[in-house]
């Protein structure tokens, strides 16, 4: 864990703030350290252990370094098939517990409110910040994720009644490729009720191994249909 007395600072004043992100960086914070499946050491039984902070283990095990200040640890697990189940993760503390943060509920609320304006401003312009600005029904990107572990492309769509989008993507040797829709606020309809995303394990690929999907509010009678659930505007 980081050394020194715990200190709750403004989110936007910490290492790796949202506001410091480059305009073409499709990540919501600057990464201190990360590990991907390509570098993850997995035991024979399928289990793995990642040490976060402290001295790097001498056995070459999975390790994430930390920086001083409050740090967010994010796990992104990509499941290629609807039948797959997510990993069971357990967080275990290795050092001694520290005193609680010396702030009252009112002080915590005031600090959160102080960051709210910048937080909202960031998310309102998130897509334009990452890959834009760009026009409607035009694909922007792809741009690389931090650390080169993947790419992101965006499409802001606006559909008139009876219209749909035909999107065609080449896999380009990638281990995973996927497409999903959101509303203008990046909220996703309930995927248990609607088909809002597809990847090659779920879709029927074309003869040349391309992933081709139809995106729109009306079922066109094809396998690879992404349902916009009545949203005439949104993001892909």
């Amino acid at each position: 864990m980081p050394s020194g007395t715990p200190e709750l600072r403004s989110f936007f004043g910490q290492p790796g703030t949202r506001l410091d992100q480059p305009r073409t960086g499709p990540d919501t914070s600057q990464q201190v350290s990360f590990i991907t499946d390509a570098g993850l050491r997995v035991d024979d039984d399928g289990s793995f252990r990642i040490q976060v902070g402290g001295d790097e283990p001498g056995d070459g095990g999975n390790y994430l370094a930390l920086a001083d200040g409050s740090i967010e640890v994010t796990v992104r697990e990509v499941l290629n098939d609807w039948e797959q189940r997510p990993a069971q993760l357990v967080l275990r503390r290795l050092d001694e517990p520290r005193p609680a943060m010396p702030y009252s509920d009112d002080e915590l609320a005031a600090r959160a409110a102080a960051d709210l304006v910048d937080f909202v401003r960031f998310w309102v312009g998130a897509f334009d910040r990452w890959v834009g600005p760009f026009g409607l029904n035009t694909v922007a990107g792809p741009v690389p994720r931090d650390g080169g572990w993947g790419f992101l492309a965006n499409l802001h769509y606006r559909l008139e009644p009876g219209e749909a989008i035909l999107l065609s993507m080449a896999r380009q040797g990638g281990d995973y490729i996927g497409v999903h829709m959101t509303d203008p606020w990046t909220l996703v309809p309930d995927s248990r009720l609607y088909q809002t995303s597809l990847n090659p394990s779920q879709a029927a690929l074309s003869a040349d191994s391309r992933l081709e999907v139809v995106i729109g509010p009306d079922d066109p009678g094809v396998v690879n249909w992404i349902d916009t659930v009545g949203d005439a505007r949104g993001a892909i």
Side-chain angles (χ1 to χ4, degrees):
M1 305 295 291
S3 60
T5 303
E7 179 185 9
L8 182 64
R9 293 178 290 169
S10 166
F11 180 85
F12 291 97
Q14 296 190 59
T17 70
R18 286 187 172 91
L19 295 184
D20 289 339
Q21 276 296 100
R23 291 194 59 83
T24 56
D27 294 281
T28 55
S29 62
Q30 291 178 338
Q31 298 180 26
V32 175
S33 59
F34 68 93
I35 187 170
T36 71
D37 61 333
L40 186 68
R41 196 172 83 176
V42 181
D43 294 335
D44 293 339
D45 61 358
S47 65
F48 59 88
R49 180 176 185 268
I50 302 175
Q51 180 179 321
V52 181
D55 296 329
E56 185 171 358
D59 61 358
N62 304 311
Y63 174 71
L64 292 176
L66 291 181
D68 287 337
S70 299
I71 298 295
E72 176 182 315
V73 178
T74 300
V75 178
R76 180 187 295 269
E77 185 175 14
V78 176
L79 303 181
N80 199 50
D81 190 296
W82 280 313
E83 298 300 322
Q84 291 178 310
R85 293 293 180 265
Q88 298 293 317
L89 300 177
V90 177
L91 183 65
R92 183 165 63 91
R93 186 164 193 157
L94 300 179
D95 64 349
E96 294 296 324
R98 295 185 176 185
M101 292 289 188
Y103 300 107
S104 66
D105 289 346
D106 289 341
E107 290 173 313
L108 291 174
R111 287 167 176 264
D115 282 340
L116 186 60
V117 173
D118 285 337
F119 185 87
V120 172
R121 182 184 297 119
F122 173 88
W123 283 110
V124 167
F127 282 115
D128 286 346
R129 174 180 295 274
W130 292 339
V131 294
F134 53 92
L136 290 169
N137 299 336
T138 302
V139 175
V143 291
R145 309 299 301 248
D146 285 355
W149 61 269
F151 295 85
L152 176 70
N154 284 332
L155 164 68
H156 278 185
Y157 71 83
R158 176 188 290 167
L159 299 175
E160 300 297 332
E163 289 185 337
I165 294 172
L166 174 61
L167 184 64
S168 178
M169 296 182 293
R171 192 157 185 169
Q172 302 285 41
D175 291 331
Y176 177 87
I177 183 174
V179 55
H180 68 92
M181 66 77 58
T182 77
D183 71 7
W185 297 99
T186 69
L187 299 177
V188 181
D190 191 338
S191 58
R192 297 171 298 180
L193 304 177
Y194 307 99
Q195 185 164 280
T196 58
S197 65
L198 283 170
N199 64 52
S201 74
Q202 303 157 344
L205 300 184
S206 65
D208 57 356
S209 298
R210 299 181 69 85
L211 176 59
E212 296 181 335
V213 299
V214 176
I215 302 166
D218 303 312
D219 188 350
V222 299
V223 175
N224 297 348
W225 170 47
I226 288 184
D227 188 356
T228 61
V229 196
D231 283 332
R233 295 191 63 174
I236 302 295

